[in-house]
Every structure is written in C-alpha cells, then in structure tokens.
Amino acid sequence: RKHKVPLSSSFHTNFHAYGKHYGFGLINGMVLKYLRTIHNKTAATFAPSDDLLQTLNQTGFENLHLLGRGVDTELFNPNKRDCALRAQWGVSEDQPVAVYVGRVAKEKNINLTIQAYQTMQATIPDLKMVIVGDGPERIHLQKTHPEIHFSGMRRDDDLARHYASGDLFLFGSTTETFGNVVTEAMASGLLVMAFDYAAPQRYITANIDGVLVPYADEAAFIEQAT
C-alpha cells in the first residue's frame, strides 16, 4: 500500500468458525473483525464459493470475487480402485467402505462423521470406515475406535487410490470455504453425504450423486445416515 502496488487476497479458511470447536467461541467476532480489516485493505478478495461470497458480503467484506476451483480427473477417477489396498483394510471386494479424507480435527466435525458411520452400521453391519489424514484427534480416535482403519496422510496417486477404493464419502464438516475433498471424492466415483453449502451445494445433485443435508443440522445428518 505504501508503494501503491495493487494487492489481492484469498479467503480460504474460516478461522473465525473454529472457536466453537475449541472452547473459545466468544472471540469469533473479534477474529472475523481482524480478518475483515486485513482483507479490506486489499484491492480484491477472492473466495471459492458463492455462498461464502454472500456471507462475507453480509459481514462487511469488500471487493469480493469468485475464484474457481477444479479437480484433476486424470488423478482422481474410479479406475484407481485397488483390490490389494482394500485387502489391507481387511475388507472383501463386495464389502462397502465409507471414507473420510481430511484433517483429523475437531473443526472438521470428525465425531459427527464417525457417528453417522456408526448409525449406518445398524442397517449395513459389514460397513467399514477408513479415515485418511492426520491431525490432533487421530491418536485419541484410534484408541476409542479400533474398528476404524486410520490410513494417515496420503498424497498424489496413493491418495487417489484411497478415494477410489471406497464406496461412499462421509463429510460432516461445517467450516469449509469450498471443500476440495468433496470434488475429489465425486471424481473418484464415490457417493457423497455432506452439508448443503460450498462445494457440495454447487456440485451434488441430491439423491443422484450424493445426499445434501441442511447446513449444520447434525440431527438431520444422522437421520440421513439411516
């Protein structure tokens, strides 16, 4: 700004929404105010989804623009399904597998995703859950849910094989600005269940290639799992 050089910014993390998951929700407003001050000093702020742009606009963000997202369909596609990998998970070729990919952390609402999986087991007893990713909740969840397979962090072709070797994708997060994992899962041929916002809202056709749940309605998320 001092040298009058135009500067743009990208809003791609809802830091202000993390507080409720870590016990400091009272300062969410302060965090949002700080973010707004920083972004409004730039010539343009890009965000990855229409609903996020609307929310930012309603909270005083200025000079907003949509930044498109895509998915590498050569990397993420159903042909990456791997029987040997499924055998490592301890499942047969016909056994259904629910997959979660992402940070294993509270702000991703990972406990809701696991609860939905457990609910589905009531009608699909042989359903297996595979969690791909790492984070502060991983060690605790591995101890409390030994029936779930934790694959840890995976990248590139290895990650693509983990997606395609599943059958459905459960995603209970409510803090996404877009949700790249949703489009990667869809490109990999998985049925997706997620809240109706960001990438799911834009790309999922309800009851055709996925299930959309009213935003942040956790009871409805569990009900849809049945």
Side-chain angles (χ1 to χ4, degrees), residues 4 36 42 52 55 77 93 104-105 144 151 166 180 182 185 204 220:
K4 298 182 179 180
R36 182 172 61 239
T42 66
L52 177 58
T55 299
N77 69 75
E93 181 54 31
V104 186
T144 55
S151 294
N180 290 328
V182 170
I204 292 176

Side-chain angles (χ1 to χ4, degrees), residues 59-217:
T59 51
F61 284 73
E62 303 169 351
N63 304 315
L64 296 168
H65 302 272
L66 181 66
L67 178 65
R69 293 284 180 92
V71 60
D72 184 347
T73 55
E74 291 187 5
L75 177 61
F76 299 104
N77 69 75
N79 293 329
K80 295 295 178 69
R81 191 175 179 89
D82 189 330
C83 295
L85 177 59
R86 287 175 59 88
Q88 292 178 20
W89 296 344
V91 300
S92 65
E93 181 54 31
D94 297 328
Q95 186 175 347
V97 176
V99 176
Y100 165 86
V101 177
R103 183 168 159 80
V104 186
K106 291 181 179 179
E107 74 270 12
K108 296 296 185 180
N109 225 3
I110 186 68
N111 287 325
L112 178 64
T113 297
I114 292 176
Q115 187 179 351
Y117 154 67
Q118 293 172 325
T119 300
M120 296 178 76
Q121 279 190 310
T123 54
I124 313 174
D126 62 342
L127 180 66
K128 179 74 174 182
M129 180 83 191
V130 174
I131 292 179
V132 183
D134 208 347
E137 292 297 299
R138 179 182 171 184
I139 294 178
H140 168 70
L141 291 175
Q142 279 185 296
K143 291 179 179 179
T144 55
H145 296 283
E147 75 282 4
I148 296 176
H149 182 88
F150 289 81
S151 294
M153 185 72 70
R154 302 287 169 166
R155 293 184 174 85
D156 303 323
D157 192 69
D158 191 18
L159 174 60
R161 291 189 302 111
H162 277 71
Y163 273 115
S165 297
D167 300 288
L168 60 107
F169 188 77
L170 298 179
F171 196 60
S173 175
T174 58
T175 59
E176 305 302 305
T177 56
F178 183 74
N180 290 328
V181 293
V182 170
T183 52
E184 291 170 355
M186 294 179 71
S188 301
L190 275 65
L191 177 73
V192 177
M193 186 171 83
F195 286 113
D196 188 9
Y197 78 116
Q201 183 181 83
R202 184 172 183 179
Y203 292 107
I204 292 176
T205 302
N207 301 319
I208 294 179
D209 49 17
V211 176
L212 290 173
V213 181
Y215 178 71
D217 190 337

